[in-house]
Amino acid sequence: MKNKKNQLSTSVFLAPYLILFITFIVVPVVIAIGLSFTYFNTIEMPKFIGLDNYVNILTQDNTFMQFVLPNTLIFSLIVGPGGYILAFLLAWMLAQITKGPRTVLALILYSPSMTAGIATAVVWKIIFSGSETGYLNHFLISSGFINEPIQFLQSPEYLMVIMIIVTLWGSMGVGFLAMLSGVLNINKEIYEAGYIDGIRNRFQEIIYITIPSMKPQMLFGAVMAVVTTFQAGAIGVELSGQNPTPQYAGQLIVNHLEDFGFIRYEMGYAAALSVLLLLFIYAFSRIATKFFAEKD
Amino acid sequence: MASFQGTKINPDKFHISQLKFYVILILVALFMIMPIVYIFSHALKPIDELFAYPPRFFVQKPTLENFRDLLSNTNATGVPMSRYLFNSIVVTIIVVVFTVLISTMAGFALSKKEFKLKKTLFEINTIALMFVPAAVTIPRYLLIDEIHLLDTFFAHIFPLLAMPVGLFLVKQFIDQIPNELIEAAKMDGANDFQIFIKIIIPLVKPAIATISILAFQAVWNNAETSTLFVNDENLKTFAFYMSTLASDTGGNSVAGQGMLAAASLIMFIPNLIIFIFMQSKVMNTMAHSGIK
């Protein structure tokens, strides 16, 4: 009798979350996988075509192979680990100073993550604006580096760099906060023991004590870094104001997906792209887990 | 202990050796805060300063004109800005309250109750941390259409309620609560609901603060539900309204620029205030936030 009551309350506690979780997260993923094997233009019924979408992505889609995939890899390999290392170093440095200034500086470093996507794009758009009233152009012209304003957001050679800067700027999110409190919560006695055992400098201290002591937070930070990196996909379109981005310079999987899904209405194809995207994220997170998971 | 010179972690007072960290941190912080200062300054600029050449970073003659314009502005279909703001506030409050409630409930069950699929469920949720909504926008749209949520207020709410990272954080936090406490309450005759309300909720306040902030940011900044799931202008949110301002300002409206700046500031301020008030609790939660 008691057990039954226990089970009942367990289900009551779990049900709301589970129902919503399954409906809005699990089912869409399953549908995406299903649709990825079909041709679907939103008007006719989906038609089963097997692996054709995947085969096409990998063999026929020149844009994907030539721009989207390399862009995504470059972007995520720089922004992911870059943002992650930056977050750790900043968290570690913040831990070395006193509480008052630390709180203020931590708040400032976190503040970009609070700016909404659109607000971010608006601000940076003005800074990088292509006319001479853009802040960067004005600065470069008045200090004599260039004579003509540069079309930062419309030229392929700059767009990617700017996307990376803007994303790194906004990347001190939850992972950063986790790492900061991770560093702060390491037991001081572990360090004392380390110094007795022959650790001599701060670098050794970080490698042998700090990082191993905060592995859980490091891993959480890593997973969050992977997710934010792939989430940030829209930034190129927001900055340049067009999808596809100029000469596909800032085209990432997310944008390619939206291009096919919402502009060309090739839903099956877009679904296959989304499955690839989820696989990417999963693979990168697995790699992160390999690095930091506790070996026990 | 003469050789023990490192580990100045969490120092009590200033020491000259901290100076190098200050230098780096302040430089980085300046870079990080510049665009934010710019949002403030830009929003207060009168029209002539917005388009001044050479461009000025800081406002010279601050004015609230942009906010007045924004307030009195109605868009092409005649919906006033206040309506969007109202929608955003209502949607945000509902999402934050319910996200906190359902994540805490599920976190309690996953942490302290025994049942068969417990481990599996938590693992699936941990995998779902990696969930990127952009990847499944299309199936979500089809689904929301299928369950007749298109063009309703609920389309803003339901898709955002299940927040894997929220459940994850709160579950890790509840793990820290000693089982003895719950056993003791049971001895005194408390049932699960009483335990949840009288013990769990008060003890996980830091985690609740953290999820509230994350949920708030997710919903307040969300323009996507308005773009995709809602056609009725009267039901769209402020974040969406802002995105329309952003796309109009290509050249047609001079006042648009100022309104956009003011709108960015309105978007940003609540995030900032909430975070300032709750940051110590957030840090407390993050100490237990590891994936193990």
Side-chain angles (χ1 to χ4, degrees), chain A residues 6 9 17 95 103 114 135 169 191 217 274 281, chain B residues 7 10 32 56 113 125 132 135 192 271 279 287:
Chain A
N6 187 24
S9 73
Y17 185 84
T103 312
M114 292 184 271
Y135 286 78
W169 169 78
Y191 287 104
Q217 280 84 16
S274 68
I281 298 173
Chain B
T7 63
N10 202 359
M32 297 294 224
R56 299 199 193 106
K113 311 286 290 183
N125 189 68
V132 178
D192 282 336
N271 282 310
Q279 63 94 16

mmCIF file with all atom_site columns, all heavy atoms in Angstrom, chain A residues 6 9 17 95 103 114 135 169 191 217 274 281, chain B residues 7 10 32 56 113 125 132 135 192 271 279 287:
data_model
loop_
_atom_site.group_PDB
_atom_site.id
_atom_site.type_symbol
_atom_site.label_atom_id
_atom_site.label_alt_id
_atom_site.label_comp_id
_atom_site.label_asym_id
_atom_site.label_entity_id
_atom_site.label_seq_id
_atom_site.pdbx_PDB_ins_code
_atom_site.Cartn_x
_atom_site.Cartn_y
_atom_site.Cartn_z
_atom_site.occupancy
_atom_site.B_iso_or_equiv
_atom_site.pdbx_formal_charge
_atom_site.auth_seq_id
_atom_site.auth_comp_id
_atom_site.auth_asym_id
_atom_site.auth_atom_id
_atom_site.pdbx_PDB_model_num
ATOM 1   N N   . ASN A 1 6   ? 3.714  5.742  -2.869  1.00 0.00 ? 6   ASN A N   1
ATOM 2   C CA  . ASN A 1 6   ? 5.015  6.290  -3.223  1.00 0.00 ? 6   ASN A CA  1
ATOM 3   C C   . ASN A 1 6   ? 5.150  6.436  -4.739  1.00 0.00 ? 6   ASN A C   1
ATOM 4   O O   . ASN A 1 6   ? 5.573  7.468  -5.250  1.00 0.00 ? 6   ASN A O   1
ATOM 5   C CB  . ASN A 1 6   ? 6.087  5.358  -2.653  1.00 0.00 ? 6   ASN A CB  1
ATOM 6   C CG  . ASN A 1 6   ? 7.464  5.939  -2.829  1.00 0.00 ? 6   ASN A CG  1
ATOM 7   O OD1 . ASN A 1 6   ? 7.600  7.153  -2.956  1.00 0.00 ? 6   ASN A OD1 1
ATOM 8   N ND2 . ASN A 1 6   ? 8.467  5.088  -2.841  1.00 0.00 ? 6   ASN A ND2 1
ATOM 9   N N   . SER A 1 9   ? 3.003  9.305  -6.064  1.00 0.00 ? 9   SER A N   1
ATOM 10  C CA  . SER A 1 9   ? 3.538  10.664 -5.913  1.00 0.00 ? 9   SER A CA  1
ATOM 11  C C   . SER A 1 9   ? 4.747  10.873 -6.816  1.00 0.00 ? 9   SER A C   1
ATOM 12  O O   . SER A 1 9   ? 4.928  11.949 -7.368  1.00 0.00 ? 9   SER A O   1
ATOM 13  C CB  . SER A 1 9   ? 3.869  10.970 -4.454  1.00 0.00 ? 9   SER A CB  1
ATOM 14  O OG  . SER A 1 9   ? 5.018  10.296 -4.050  1.00 0.00 ? 9   SER A OG  1
ATOM 15  N N   . TYR A 1 17  ? 6.963  17.511 -16.161 1.00 0.00 ? 17  TYR A N   1
ATOM 16  C CA  . TYR A 1 17  ? 8.209  17.695 -16.889 1.00 0.00 ? 17  TYR A CA  1
ATOM 17  C C   . TYR A 1 17  ? 8.303  16.708 -18.040 1.00 0.00 ? 17  TYR A C   1
ATOM 18  O O   . TYR A 1 17  ? 8.589  17.081 -19.182 1.00 0.00 ? 17  TYR A O   1
ATOM 19  C CB  . TYR A 1 17  ? 9.419  17.523 -15.965 1.00 0.00 ? 17  TYR A CB  1
ATOM 20  C CG  . TYR A 1 17  ? 10.723 17.823 -16.667 1.00 0.00 ? 17  TYR A CG  1
ATOM 21  C CD1 . TYR A 1 17  ? 11.189 19.129 -16.772 1.00 0.00 ? 17  TYR A CD1 1
ATOM 22  C CD2 . TYR A 1 17  ? 11.467 16.813 -17.269 1.00 0.00 ? 17  TYR A CD2 1
ATOM 23  C CE1 . TYR A 1 17  ? 12.356 19.424 -17.434 1.00 0.00 ? 17  TYR A CE1 1
ATOM 24  C CE2 . TYR A 1 17  ? 12.645 17.105 -17.946 1.00 0.00 ? 17  TYR A CE2 1
ATOM 25  C CZ  . TYR A 1 17  ? 13.087 18.410 -18.023 1.00 0.00 ? 17  TYR A CZ  1
ATOM 26  O OH  . TYR A 1 17  ? 14.243 18.692 -18.702 1.00 0.00 ? 17  TYR A OH  1
ATOM 27  N N   . ALA A 1 95  ? 39.254 34.303 -9.586  1.00 0.00 ? 95  ALA A N   1
ATOM 28  C CA  . ALA A 1 95  ? 39.364 33.657 -8.284  1.00 0.00 ? 95  ALA A CA  1
ATOM 29  C C   . ALA A 1 95  ? 40.578 34.152 -7.513  1.00 0.00 ? 95  ALA A C   1
ATOM 30  O O   . ALA A 1 95  ? 40.676 33.965 -6.308  1.00 0.00 ? 95  ALA A O   1
ATOM 31  C CB  . ALA A 1 95  ? 39.424 32.143 -8.454  1.00 0.00 ? 95  ALA A CB  1
ATOM 32  N N   . THR A 1 103 ? 33.168 40.275 -7.893  1.00 0.00 ? 103 THR A N   1
ATOM 33  C CA  . THR A 1 103 ? 31.742 40.257 -8.225  1.00 0.00 ? 103 THR A CA  1
ATOM 34  C C   . THR A 1 103 ? 31.440 41.229 -9.356  1.00 0.00 ? 103 THR A C   1
ATOM 35  O O   . THR A 1 103 ? 30.739 40.894 -10.312 1.00 0.00 ? 103 THR A O   1
ATOM 36  C CB  . THR A 1 103 ? 30.914 40.633 -6.983  1.00 0.00 ? 103 THR A CB  1
ATOM 37  O OG1 . THR A 1 103 ? 31.389 39.854 -5.892  1.00 0.00 ? 103 THR A OG1 1
ATOM 38  C CG2 . THR A 1 103 ? 29.459 40.372 -7.201  1.00 0.00 ? 103 THR A CG2 1
ATOM 39  N N   . MET A 1 114 ? 23.753 38.160 -21.513 1.00 0.00 ? 114 MET A N   1
ATOM 40  C CA  . MET A 1 114 ? 22.370 38.526 -21.210 1.00 0.00 ? 114 MET A CA  1
ATOM 41  C C   . MET A 1 114 ? 21.729 39.337 -22.315 1.00 0.00 ? 114 MET A C   1
ATOM 42  O O   . MET A 1 114 ? 20.528 39.500 -22.344 1.00 0.00 ? 114 MET A O   1
ATOM 43  C CB  . MET A 1 114 ? 22.329 39.357 -19.921 1.00 0.00 ? 114 MET A CB  1
ATOM 44  C CG  . MET A 1 114 ? 22.688 38.565 -18.701 1.00 0.00 ? 114 MET A CG  1
ATOM 45  S SD  . MET A 1 114 ? 22.496 39.569 -17.231 1.00 0.00 ? 114 MET A SD  1
ATOM 46  C CE  . MET A 1 114 ? 24.087 40.318 -17.101 1.00 0.00 ? 114 MET A CE  1
ATOM 47  N N   . TYR A 1 135 ? 31.705 52.733 -36.441 1.00 0.00 ? 135 TYR A N   1
ATOM 48  C CA  . TYR A 1 135 ? 32.726 53.119 -35.460 1.00 0.00 ? 135 TYR A CA  1
ATOM 49  C C   . TYR A 1 135 ? 34.112 52.633 -35.849 1.00 0.00 ? 135 TYR A C   1
ATOM 50  O O   . TYR A 1 135 ? 35.087 53.361 -35.746 1.00 0.00 ? 135 TYR A O   1
ATOM 51  C CB  . TYR A 1 135 ? 32.334 52.605 -34.077 1.00 0.00 ? 135 TYR A CB  1
ATOM 52  C CG  . TYR A 1 135 ? 31.223 53.423 -33.498 1.00 0.00 ? 135 TYR A CG  1
ATOM 53  C CD1 . TYR A 1 135 ? 29.922 53.249 -33.914 1.00 0.00 ? 135 TYR A CD1 1
ATOM 54  C CD2 . TYR A 1 135 ? 31.502 54.417 -32.569 1.00 0.00 ? 135 TYR A CD2 1
ATOM 55  C CE1 . TYR A 1 135 ? 28.911 54.028 -33.426 1.00 0.00 ? 135 TYR A CE1 1
ATOM 56  C CE2 . TYR A 1 135 ? 30.492 55.207 -32.067 1.00 0.00 ? 135 TYR A CE2 1
ATOM 57  C CZ  . TYR A 1 135 ? 29.188 55.005 -32.494 1.00 0.00 ? 135 TYR A CZ  1
ATOM 58  O OH  . TYR A 1 135 ? 28.202 55.790 -32.020 1.00 0.00 ? 135 TYR A OH  1
ATOM 59  N N   . TRP A 1 169 ? 32.711 37.109 -27.604 1.00 0.00 ? 169 TRP A N   1
ATOM 60  C CA  . TRP A 1 169 ? 32.316 38.191 -26.695 1.00 0.00 ? 169 TRP A CA  1
ATOM 61  C C   . TRP A 1 169 ? 31.115 37.755 -25.857 1.00 0.00 ? 169 TRP A C   1
ATOM 62  O O   . TRP A 1 169 ? 31.049 38.028 -24.665 1.00 0.00 ? 169 TRP A O   1
ATOM 63  C CB  . TRP A 1 169 ? 31.980 39.434 -27.537 1.00 0.00 ? 169 TRP A CB  1
ATOM 64  C CG  . TRP A 1 169 ? 31.327 40.549 -26.801 1.00 0.00 ? 169 TRP A CG  1
ATOM 65  C CD1 . TRP A 1 169 ? 31.939 41.448 -25.985 1.00 0.00 ? 169 TRP A CD1 1
ATOM 66  C CD2 . TRP A 1 169 ? 29.943 40.903 -26.834 1.00 0.00 ? 169 TRP A CD2 1
ATOM 67  N NE1 . TRP A 1 169 ? 31.025 42.336 -25.509 1.00 0.00 ? 169 TRP A NE1 1
ATOM 68  C CE2 . TRP A 1 169 ? 29.791 42.020 -26.010 1.00 0.00 ? 169 TRP A CE2 1
ATOM 69  C CE3 . TRP A 1 169 ? 28.822 40.382 -27.473 1.00 0.00 ? 169 TRP A CE3 1
ATOM 70  C CZ2 . TRP A 1 169 ? 28.561 42.634 -25.800 1.00 0.00 ? 169 TRP A CZ2 1
ATOM 71  C CZ3 . TRP A 1 169 ? 27.606 40.989 -27.269 1.00 0.00 ? 169 TRP A CZ3 1
ATOM 72  C CH2 . TRP A 1 169 ? 27.477 42.100 -26.440 1.00 0.00 ? 169 TRP A CH2 1
ATOM 73  N N   . TYR A 1 191 ? 45.727 22.138 -2.067  1.00 0.00 ? 191 TYR A N   1
ATOM 74  C CA  . TYR A 1 191 ? 46.882 22.887 -2.568  1.00 0.00 ? 191 TYR A CA  1
ATOM 75  C C   . TYR A 1 191 ? 48.072 22.733 -1.631  1.00 0.00 ? 191 TYR A C   1
ATOM 76  O O   . TYR A 1 191 ? 49.196 22.534 -2.062  1.00 0.00 ? 191 TYR A O   1
ATOM 77  C CB  . TYR A 1 191 ? 46.523 24.374 -2.687  1.00 0.00 ? 191 TYR A CB  1
ATOM 78  C CG  . TYR A 1 191 ? 45.614 24.681 -3.838  1.00 0.00 ? 191 TYR A CG  1
ATOM 79  C CD1 . TYR A 1 191 ? 44.274 24.946 -3.635  1.00 0.00 ? 191 TYR A CD1 1
ATOM 80  C CD2 . TYR A 1 191 ? 46.103 24.712 -5.135  1.00 0.00 ? 191 TYR A CD2 1
ATOM 81  C CE1 . TYR A 1 191 ? 43.439 25.248 -4.691  1.00 0.00 ? 191 TYR A CE1 1
ATOM 82  C CE2 . TYR A 1 191 ? 45.276 25.013 -6.199  1.00 0.00 ? 191 TYR A CE2 1
ATOM 83  C CZ  . TYR A 1 191 ? 43.942 25.275 -5.974  1.00 0.00 ? 191 TYR A CZ  1
ATOM 84  O OH  . TYR A 1 191 ? 43.121 25.565 -7.017  1.00 0.00 ? 191 TYR A OH  1
ATOM 85  N N   . GLN A 1 217 ? 32.707 20.588 -13.104 1.00 0.00 ? 217 GLN A N   1
ATOM 86  C CA  . GLN A 1 217 ? 32.362 21.905 -13.646 1.00 0.00 ? 217 GLN A CA  1
ATOM 87  C C   . GLN A 1 217 ? 33.017 22.119 -15.007 1.00 0.00 ? 217 GLN A C   1
ATOM 88  O O   . GLN A 1 217 ? 32.439 22.758 -15.885 1.00 0.00 ? 217 GLN A O   1
ATOM 89  C CB  . GLN A 1 217 ? 32.811 23.020 -12.701 1.00 0.00 ? 217 GLN A CB  1
ATOM 90  C CG  . GLN A 1 217 ? 31.889 23.242 -11.532 1.00 0.00 ? 217 GLN A CG  1
ATOM 91  C CD  . GLN A 1 217 ? 32.188 22.293 -10.384 1.00 0.00 ? 217 GLN A CD  1
ATOM 92  O OE1 . GLN A 1 217 ? 33.246 21.675 -10.351 1.00 0.00 ? 217 GLN A OE1 1
ATOM 93  N NE2 . GLN A 1 217 ? 31.257 22.164 -9.462  1.00 0.00 ? 217 GLN A NE2 1
ATOM 94  N N   . SER A 1 274 ? 19.329 18.792 -40.148 1.00 0.00 ? 274 SER A N   1
ATOM 95  C CA  . SER A 1 274 ? 19.208 18.960 -38.696 1.00 0.00 ? 274 SER A CA  1
ATOM 96  C C   . SER A 1 274 ? 19.684 17.712 -37.959 1.00 0.00 ? 274 SER A C   1
ATOM 97  O O   . SER A 1 274 ? 20.282 17.812 -36.893 1.00 0.00 ? 274 SER A O   1
ATOM 98  C CB  . SER A 1 274 ? 17.783 19.330 -38.309 1.00 0.00 ? 274 SER A CB  1
ATOM 99  O OG  . SER A 1 274 ? 16.925 18.252 -38.538 1.00 0.00 ? 274 SER A OG  1
ATOM 100 N N   . ILE A 1 281 ? 26.816 17.846 -32.750 1.00 0.00 ? 281 ILE A N   1
ATOM 101 C CA  . ILE A 1 281 ? 26.862 18.339 -31.375 1.00 0.00 ? 281 ILE A CA  1
ATOM 102 C C   . ILE A 1 281 ? 27.122 17.179 -30.426 1.00 0.00 ? 281 ILE A C   1
ATOM 103 O O   . ILE A 1 281 ? 27.947 17.276 -29.519 1.00 0.00 ? 281 ILE A O   1
ATOM 104 C CB  . ILE A 1 281 ? 25.545 19.048 -31.011 1.00 0.00 ? 281 ILE A CB  1
ATOM 105 C CG1 . ILE A 1 281 ? 25.354 20.264 -31.915 1.00 0.00 ? 281 ILE A CG1 1
ATOM 106 C CG2 . ILE A 1 281 ? 25.528 19.461 -29.558 1.00 0.00 ? 281 ILE A CG2 1
ATOM 107 C CD1 . ILE A 1 281 ? 24.029 20.938 -31.766 1.00 0.00 ? 281 ILE A CD1 1
ATOM 108 N N   . THR B 2 7   ? 48.379 29.345 -4.504  1.00 0.00 ? 7   THR B N   1
ATOM 109 C CA  . THR B 2 7   ? 47.027 29.249 -3.961  1.00 0.00 ? 7   THR B CA  1
ATOM 110 C C   . THR B 2 7   ? 46.527 30.508 -3.294  1.00 0.00 ? 7   THR B C   1
ATOM 111 O O   . THR B 2 7   ? 46.122 30.495 -2.161  1.00 0.00 ? 7   THR B O   1
ATOM 112 C CB  . THR B 2 7   ? 46.914 28.141 -2.889  1.00 0.00 ? 7   THR B CB  1
ATOM 113 O OG1 . THR B 2 7   ? 47.750 28.493 -1.823  1.00 0.00 ? 7   THR B OG1 1
ATOM 114 C CG2 . THR B 2 7   ? 47.224 26.808 -3.451  1.00 0.00 ? 7   THR B CG2 1
ATOM 115 N N   . ASN B 2 10  ? 40.687 32.990 -3.821  1.00 0.00 ? 10  ASN B N   1
ATOM 116 C CA  . ASN B 2 10  ? 39.733 33.640 -2.936  1.00 0.00 ? 10  ASN B CA  1
ATOM 117 C C   . ASN B 2 10  ? 40.420 34.385 -1.794  1.00 0.00 ? 10  ASN B C   1
ATOM 118 O O   . ASN B 2 10  ? 40.171 34.126 -0.621  1.00 0.00 ? 10  ASN B O   1
ATOM 119 C CB  . ASN B 2 10  ? 38.765 32.595 -2.364  1.00 0.00 ? 10  ASN B CB  1
ATOM 120 C CG  . ASN B 2 10  ? 37.485 33.245 -1.894  1.00 0.00 ? 10  ASN B CG  1
ATOM 121 O OD1 . ASN B 2 10  ? 37.334 34.468 -1.982  1.00 0.00 ? 10  ASN B OD1 1
ATOM 122 N ND2 . ASN B 2 10  ? 36.570 32.439 -1.391  1.00 0.00 ? 10  ASN B ND2 1
ATOM 123 N N   . MET B 2 32  ? 34.356 43.733 -23.060 1.00 0.00 ? 32  MET B N   1
ATOM 124 C CA  . MET B 2 32  ? 33.049 43.099 -22.903 1.00 0.00 ? 32  MET B CA  1
ATOM 125 C C   . MET B 2 32  ? 31.945 44.125 -22.669 1.00 0.00 ? 32  MET B C   1
ATOM 126 O O   . MET B 2 32  ? 30.821 43.944 -23.111 1.00 0.00 ? 32  MET B O   1
ATOM 127 C CB  . MET B 2 32  ? 33.067 42.143 -21.710 1.00 0.00 ? 32  MET B CB  1
ATOM 128 C CG  . MET B 2 32  ? 34.030 41.002 -21.857 1.00 0.00 ? 32  MET B CG  1
ATOM 129 S SD  . MET B 2 32  ? 33.566 39.900 -23.184 1.00 0.00 ? 32  MET B SD  1
ATOM 130 C CE  . MET B 2 32  ? 33.814 38.335 -22.411 1.00 0.00 ? 32  MET B CE  1
ATOM 131 N N   . ARG B 2 56  ? 29.654 59.571 -32.490 1.00 0.00 ? 56  ARG B N   1
ATOM 132 C CA  . ARG B 2 56  ? 30.092 59.694 -31.097 1.00 0.00 ? 56  ARG B CA  1
ATOM 133 C C   . ARG B 2 56  ? 29.668 58.460 -30.331 1.00 0.00 ? 56  ARG B C   1
ATOM 134 O O   . ARG B 2 56  ? 28.555 57.970 -30.497 1.00 0.00 ? 56  ARG B O   1
ATOM 135 C CB  . ARG B 2 56  ? 29.438 60.905 -30.444 1.00 0.00 ? 56  ARG B CB  1
ATOM 136 C CG  . ARG B 2 56  ? 29.805 62.199 -31.125 1.00 0.00 ? 56  ARG B CG  1
ATOM 137 C CD  . ARG B 2 56  ? 29.523 63.358 -30.202 1.00 0.00 ? 56  ARG B CD  1
ATOM 138 N NE  . ARG B 2 56  ? 29.596 64.604 -30.978 1.00 0.00 ? 56  ARG B NE  1
ATOM 139 C CZ  . ARG B 2 56  ? 28.522 65.292 -31.325 1.00 0.00 ? 56  ARG B CZ  1
ATOM 140 N NH1 . ARG B 2 56  ? 27.322 64.883 -30.970 1.00 0.00 ? 56  ARG B NH1 1
ATOM 141 N NH2 . ARG B 2 56  ? 28.657 66.395 -32.023 1.00 0.00 ? 56  ARG B NH2 1
ATOM 142 N N   . LYS B 2 113 ? 13.684 9.967  -5.027  1.00 0.00 ? 113 LYS B N   1
ATOM 143 C CA  . LYS B 2 113 ? 12.737 8.856  -5.078  1.00 0.00 ? 113 LYS B CA  1
ATOM 144 C C   . LYS B 2 113 ? 13.400 7.671  -5.780  1.00 0.00 ? 113 LYS B C   1
ATOM 145 O O   . LYS B 2 113 ? 14.299 7.850  -6.591  1.00 0.00 ? 113 LYS B O   1
ATOM 146 C CB  . LYS B 2 113 ? 11.473 9.256  -5.852  1.00 0.00 ? 113 LYS B CB  1
ATOM 147 C CG  . LYS B 2 113 ? 10.864 10.560 -5.436  1.00 0.00 ? 113 LYS B CG  1
ATOM 148 C CD  . LYS B 2 113 ? 10.149 10.480 -4.122  1.00 0.00 ? 113 LYS B CD  1
ATOM 149 C CE  . LYS B 2 113 ? 8.876  9.661  -4.275  1.00 0.00 ? 113 LYS B CE  1
ATOM 150 N NZ  . LYS B 2 113 ? 8.136  9.642  -3.005  1.00 0.00 ? 113 LYS B NZ  1
ATOM 151 N N   . ASN B 2 125 ? 18.070 13.159 -20.111 1.00 0.00 ? 125 ASN B N   1
ATOM 152 C CA  . ASN B 2 125 ? 18.021 14.598 -19.899 1.00 0.00 ? 125 ASN B CA  1
ATOM 153 C C   . ASN B 2 125 ? 19.397 15.236 -20.095 1.00 0.00 ? 125 ASN B C   1
ATOM 154 O O   . ASN B 2 125 ? 19.512 16.328 -20.641 1.00 0.00 ? 125 ASN B O   1
ATOM 155 C CB  . ASN B 2 125 ? 17.488 14.912 -18.502 1.00 0.00 ? 125 ASN B CB  1
ATOM 156 C CG  . ASN B 2 125 ? 17.228 16.383 -18.320 1.00 0.00 ? 125 ASN B CG  1
ATOM 157 O OD1 . ASN B 2 125 ? 16.326 16.943 -18.929 1.00 0.00 ? 125 ASN B OD1 1
ATOM 158 N ND2 . ASN B 2 125 ? 18.044 17.015 -17.500 1.00 0.00 ? 125 ASN B ND2 1
ATOM 159 N N   . VAL B 2 132 ? 19.602 21.508 -29.526 1.00 0.00 ? 132 VAL B N   1
ATOM 160 C CA  . VAL B 2 132 ? 19.597 22.837 -30.132 1.00 0.00 ? 132 VAL B CA  1
ATOM 161 C C   . VAL B 2 132 ? 18.261 23.033 -30.843 1.00 0.00 ? 132 VAL B C   1
ATOM 162 O O   . VAL B 2 132 ? 18.000 22.388 -31.845 1.00 0.00 ? 132 VAL B O   1
ATOM 163 C CB  . VAL B 2 132 ? 20.743 22.958 -31.153 1.00 0.00 ? 132 VAL B CB  1
ATOM 164 C CG1 . VAL B 2 132 ? 20.714 24.306 -31.821 1.00 0.00 ? 132 VAL B CG1 1
ATOM 165 C CG2 . VAL B 2 132 ? 22.075 22.734 -30.471 1.00 0.00 ? 132 VAL B CG2 1
ATOM 166 N N   . ALA B 2 135 ? 17.748 23.097 -34.580 1.00 0.00 ? 135 ALA B N   1
ATOM 167 C CA  . ALA B 2 135 ? 17.882 21.894 -35.386 1.00 0.00 ? 135 ALA B CA  1
ATOM 168 C C   . ALA B 2 135 ? 16.539 21.226 -35.662 1.00 0.00 ? 135 ALA B C   1
ATOM 169 O O   . ALA B 2 135 ? 16.398 20.502 -36.634 1.00 0.00 ? 135 ALA B O   1
ATOM 170 C CB  . ALA B 2 135 ? 18.817 20.902 -34.709 1.00 0.00 ? 135 ALA B CB  1
ATOM 171 N N   . ASP B 2 192 ? 4.934  13.097 0.718   1.00 0.00 ? 192 ASP B N   1
ATOM 172 C CA  . ASP B 2 192 ? 5.868  13.640 -0.258  1.00 0.00 ? 192 ASP B CA  1
ATOM 173 C C   . ASP B 2 192 ? 5.615  15.103 -0.606  1.00 0.00 ? 192 ASP B C   1
ATOM 174 O O   . ASP B 2 192 ? 6.551  15.872 -0.808  1.00 0.00 ? 192 ASP B O   1
ATOM 175 C CB  . ASP B 2 192 ? 5.827  12.807 -1.537  1.00 0.00 ? 192 ASP B CB  1
ATOM 176 C CG  . ASP B 2 192 ? 6.605  11.517 -1.366  1.00 0.00 ? 192 ASP B CG  1
ATOM 177 O OD1 . ASP B 2 192 ? 7.502  11.499 -0.501  1.00 0.00 ? 192 ASP B OD1 1
ATOM 178 O OD2 . ASP B 2 192 ? 6.304  10.546 -2.068  1.00 0.00 ? 192 ASP B OD2 1
ATOM 179 N N   . ASN B 2 271 ? 17.161 41.733 -17.665 1.00 0.00 ? 271 ASN B N   1
ATOM 180 C CA  . ASN B 2 271 ? 18.178 40.693 -17.526 1.00 0.00 ? 271 ASN B CA  1
ATOM 181 C C   . ASN B 2 271 ? 19.220 41.091 -16.490 1.00 0.00 ? 271 ASN B C   1
ATOM 182 O O   . ASN B 2 271 ? 19.602 40.319 -15.629 1.00 0.00 ? 271 ASN B O   1
ATOM 183 C CB  . ASN B 2 271 ? 18.925 40.485 -18.845 1.00 0.00 ? 271 ASN B CB  1
ATOM 184 C CG  . ASN B 2 271 ? 18.130 39.661 -19.823 1.00 0.00 ? 271 ASN B CG  1
ATOM 185 O OD1 . ASN B 2 271 ? 17.645 38.599 -19.486 1.00 0.00 ? 271 ASN B OD1 1
ATOM 186 N ND2 . ASN B 2 271 ? 17.975 40.154 -21.024 1.00 0.00 ? 271 ASN B ND2 1
ATOM 187 N N   . GLN B 2 279 ? 22.882 36.903 -8.295  1.00 0.00 ? 279 GLN B N   1
ATOM 188 C CA  . GLN B 2 279 ? 24.142 36.279 -8.712  1.00 0.00 ? 279 GLN B CA  1
ATOM 189 C C   . GLN B 2 279 ? 24.809 35.412 -7.637  1.00 0.00 ? 279 GLN B C   1
ATOM 190 O O   . GLN B 2 279 ? 25.392 34.389 -7.947  1.00 0.00 ? 279 GLN B O   1
ATOM 191 C CB  . GLN B 2 279 ? 25.097 37.306 -9.314  1.00 0.00 ? 279 GLN B CB  1
ATOM 192 C CG  . GLN B 2 279 ? 25.558 38.393 -8.399  1.00 0.00 ? 279 GLN B CG  1
ATOM 193 C CD  . GLN B 2 279 ? 26.869 38.061 -7.752  1.00 0.00 ? 279 GLN B CD  1
ATOM 194 O OE1 . GLN B 2 279 ? 27.576 37.175 -8.194  1.00 0.00 ? 279 GLN B OE1 1
ATOM 195 N NE2 . GLN B 2 279 ? 27.198 38.773 -6.689  1.00 0.00 ? 279 GLN B NE2 1
ATOM 196 N N   . ALA B 2 287 ? 28.348 25.584 -7.989  1.00 0.00 ? 287 ALA B N   1
ATOM 197 C CA  . ALA B 2 287 ? 29.352 24.788 -7.297  1.00 0.00 ? 287 ALA B CA  1
ATOM 198 C C   . ALA B 2 287 ? 28.994 23.305 -7.347  1.00 0.00 ? 287 ALA B C   1
ATOM 199 O O   . ALA B 2 287 ? 29.855 22.440 -7.278  1.00 0.00 ? 287 ALA B O   1
ATOM 200 C CB  . ALA B 2 287 ? 29.488 25.253 -5.859  1.00 0.00 ? 287 ALA B CB  1
#
